[in-house]
C-alpha cells in the first residue's frame, strides 16, 4: 500500500472531522483516555480506509480498554468491516487449519498519527485481499 | 449451494443452554454452581473487572450446538459512561463462506435502507438468554437461507 496515498486518505478524513493536528488529537485521546475522542479516532480510521479504497463499508469497532470497570481506552481498537451489498466479512482472516479459529476483526494500536497510518494500511490491505479472493471465487 | 435448515424448539434451546453451562463448569473446575446462582452473582457483580462473564460464551456455544458447527464470532459488551449496560452485541460470520450471518437490512418508508452487522440484546436473567439465543438463531437461519 502506497504510504503517500494512505497519508492523503488520512488527511481527507481528518478534514471531514475538522481536526487540525491529527497526531496531537490521537495522542490526547489515548493519554487522556477520552472515550468520545477514541470513538472519533476509530471512525476516522474507518473513513480513511473508505477514502483510500474508494468504497463504503459497514463497520463495527470496539474500543479496547485496560480497565473494564472504569472503561479506560488503552489505545487499542478492533475493527470489523462488512461489504454492504454481499454481506461478506472483509476483515476475516482465515485460520489455515481450524476455520472456526479464524478472526473476524482486525486489531490495531492507534496512539499516534504514525500508528493510524499503519492501522489504515493494514486494514485496507486485508479488505483488498478479501475482496480479491471473493472476486476470484 | 445446499441450504441448511435449522430446526429448534424452545425446549431444545433451554436444554442446550443447560448442557453448555455444565460444559463451562467442567472446564472451569467449578462444579455445583447452578446457572441460576451464577446469574444472581452476575446481576450483582457484572461490572467488576474480576467477575468472569460467561454469558457470551454460553450464548454462542448454545447457538453453535444447535446450528451443528462452529462459527466465527465477536461479542461486544456495550458500555456507556456509567459502565456496562448489560447489552451484548454479536457479530457472527460463517467461517465456510465468510458471510456475515448477523447482517440485516431494513427499509423504512420504502426508501431509507438501514443496515446492521450485529444482533444485540440485554441479558439480566435466564429468559433474556433464551430470547437472545432465539434471536440469533432466527437471524442465522434467515442469513443461511439467503446464501
Amino acid at each position: 500500500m502506497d504510504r503517500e496515498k494512505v497519508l492523503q486518505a488520512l488527511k481527507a478524513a481528518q478534514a471531514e472531522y475538522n481536526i487540525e493536528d491529527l497526531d496531537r488529537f490521537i495522542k490526547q485521546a489515548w493519554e487522556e483516555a477520552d472515550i468520545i475522542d477514541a470513538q472519533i479516532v476509530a471512525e476516522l480510521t474507518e473513513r480513511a480506509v473508505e477514502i483510500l479504497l474508494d468504497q463504503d463499508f459497514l463497520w463495527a469497532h470496539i474500543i479496547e480498554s485496560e480497565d473494564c470497570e472504569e472503561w479506560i481506552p488503552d489505545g487499542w481498537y478492533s475493527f470489523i468491516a462488512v461489504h454492504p451489498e454481499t454481506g461478506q466479512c472483509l476483515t476475516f482472516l482465515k485460520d489455515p487449519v481450524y476455520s472456526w479459529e479464524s478472526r473476524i476483526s482486525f486489531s490495531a494500536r492507534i496512539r499516534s498519527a504514525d500508528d493510524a497510518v499503519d492501522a489504515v494500511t493494514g486494514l485496507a490491505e486485508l479488505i483488498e485481499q478479501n475482496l480479491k479472493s471473493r472476486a476470484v471465487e | 449451494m445446499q441450504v441448511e435448515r435449522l430446526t429448534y424448539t424452545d425446549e431444545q434451546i433451554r436444554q442446550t443452554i443447560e448442557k453448555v453451562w455444565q460444559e463451562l463448569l467442567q472446564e472451569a473446575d467449578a462444579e455445583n454452581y447452578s446457572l441460576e446462582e451464577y446469574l444472581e452473582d452476575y446481576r450483582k457483580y457484572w461490572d467488576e473487572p474480576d467477575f468472569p462473564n460467561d454469558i457470551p460464551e454460553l450464548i454462542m456455544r448454545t447457538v453453535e450446538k444447535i446450528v451443528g458447527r462452529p462459527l466465527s464470532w465477536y461479542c461486544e459488551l456495550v458500555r456507556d459512561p456509567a459502565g456496562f449496560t448489560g447489552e451484548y452485541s454479536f457479530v457472527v460470520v460463517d467461517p465456510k463462506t465468510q458471510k456475515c450471518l448477523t447482517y440485516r437490512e431494513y427499509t423504512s418508508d420504502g426508501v431509507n435502507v438501514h443496515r446492521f452487522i450485529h444482533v444485540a440484546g440485554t441479558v439480566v436473567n435466564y429468559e433474556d438468554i433464551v430470547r437472545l439465543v432465539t434471536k440469533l438463531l432466527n437471524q442465522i437461519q434467515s442469513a443461511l437461507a439467503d446464501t
Side-chain angles (χ1 to χ4, degrees):
Chain A
M1 193 65 60
D2 185 336
R3 188 177 163 87
E4 198 49 47
K5 282 185 180 164
V6 175
L7 284 169
Q8 279 173 13
L10 265 169
K11 269 199 176 152
Q14 177 187 343
E16 287 181 15
Y17 282 84
N18 285 320
I19 295 167
E20 279 184 21
D21 185 332
L22 185 62
D23 193 51
R24 200 172 70 186
F25 183 85
I26 294 173
K27 278 182 179 155
Q28 204 168 302
W30 169 54
E31 283 164 4
E32 294 180 8
D34 187 312
I35 196 65
I36 305 294
D37 286 351
Q39 189 76 22
I40 293 170
V41 170
E43 286 174 17
L44 188 144
T45 304
E46 294 165 354
R47 185 67 193 122
V49 171
E50 290 182 335
I51 292 168
L52 186 62
L53 299 180
D54 195 23
Q55 285 188 66
D56 291 341
F57 304 109
L58 294 171
W59 295 94
H61 57 244
I62 293 94
I63 298 163
E64 310 289 356
S65 61
E66 61 184 19
D67 184 326
C68 301
E69 198 175 10
E70 300 292 333
W71 197 27
I72 298 169
D74 61 4
W76 280 87
Y77 300 78
S78 290
F79 298 91
I80 299 172
V82 168
H83 194 286
E85 264 104 53
T86 64
Q88 184 197 359
C89 177
L90 297 170
T91 39
F92 189 85
L93 191 60
K94 198 171 188 129
D95 185 283
V97 184
Y98 305 110
S99 63
W100 59 91
E101 296 280 351
S102 305
R103 287 188 61 91
I104 68 170
S105 65
F106 176 89
S107 291
R109 191 188 72 174
I110 310 175
R111 293 176 179 172
S112 65
D114 277 344
D115 285 348
V117 172
D118 293 343
V120 170
T121 305
L123 253 174
E125 283 176 350
L126 179 59
I127 289 173
E128 256 194 341
Q129 185 187 314
N130 273 316
L131 283 169
K132 273 184 197 154
S133 71
R134 202 67 187 158
V136 169
E137 281 170 31
Chain B
M1 180 179 281
Q2 191 183 353
V3 174
E4 294 171 71
R5 290 291 306 162
L6 302 180
T7 49
Y8 47 88
T9 60
D10 187 65
E11 189 50 36
Q12 190 192 355
I13 289 171
R14 288 167 195 274
Q15 282 171 1
T16 312
I17 288 172
E18 191 49 46
K19 203 185 284 178
V20 171
W21 177 249
Q22 292 307 321
E23 274 181 19
L24 291 173
L25 281 186
Q26 273 183 1
E27 286 168 21
D29 279 333
E31 285 169 37
N32 301 323
Y33 189 31
S34 72
L35 182 52
E36 289 69 25
E37 284 174 296
Y38 171 79
L39 286 169
E40 266 179 42
D41 290 340
Y42 164 81
R43 284 189 288 270
K44 283 184 219 158
Y45 308 117
W46 73 8
D47 214 13
E48 298 286 330
D50 295 333
F51 184 75
N53 191 333
D54 293 325
I55 302 294
E57 196 69 30
L58 177 65
I59 287 176
M60 279 313 299
R61 278 205 206 179
T62 302
V63 167
E64 287 175 328
K65 273 194 194 298
I66 294 170
V67 172
R69 61 191 172 90
L71 299 166
S72 301
W73 57 275
Y74 198 98
C75 176
E76 182 191 6
L77 276 63
V78 179
R79 295 176 176 278
D80 65 16
F84 176 46
T85 61
E87 190 182 14
Y88 298 84
S89 173
F90 288 91
V91 179
V92 181
V93 172
D94 186 341
K96 284 203 289 195
T97 62
Q98 298 185 19
K99 186 180 174 183
C100 178
L101 299 175
T102 41
Y103 170 72
R104 296 164 300 140
E105 222 172 47
Y106 294 112
T107 51
S108 60
D109 305 329
V111 182
N112 298 324
V113 180
H114 302 280
R115 295 181 170 112
F116 300 92
I117 63 170
H118 63 267
V119 166
T122 300
V123 174
V124 176
N125 56 40
Y126 181 81
E127 289 308 314
D128 293 333
I129 296 174
V130 176
R131 208 171 294 127
L132 191 45
V133 167
T134 309
K135 195 173 174 183
L136 278 161
L137 284 169
N138 287 342
Q139 171 54 37
I140 288 170
Q141 179 167 44
S142 132
L144 287 172
D146 284 345
T147 305

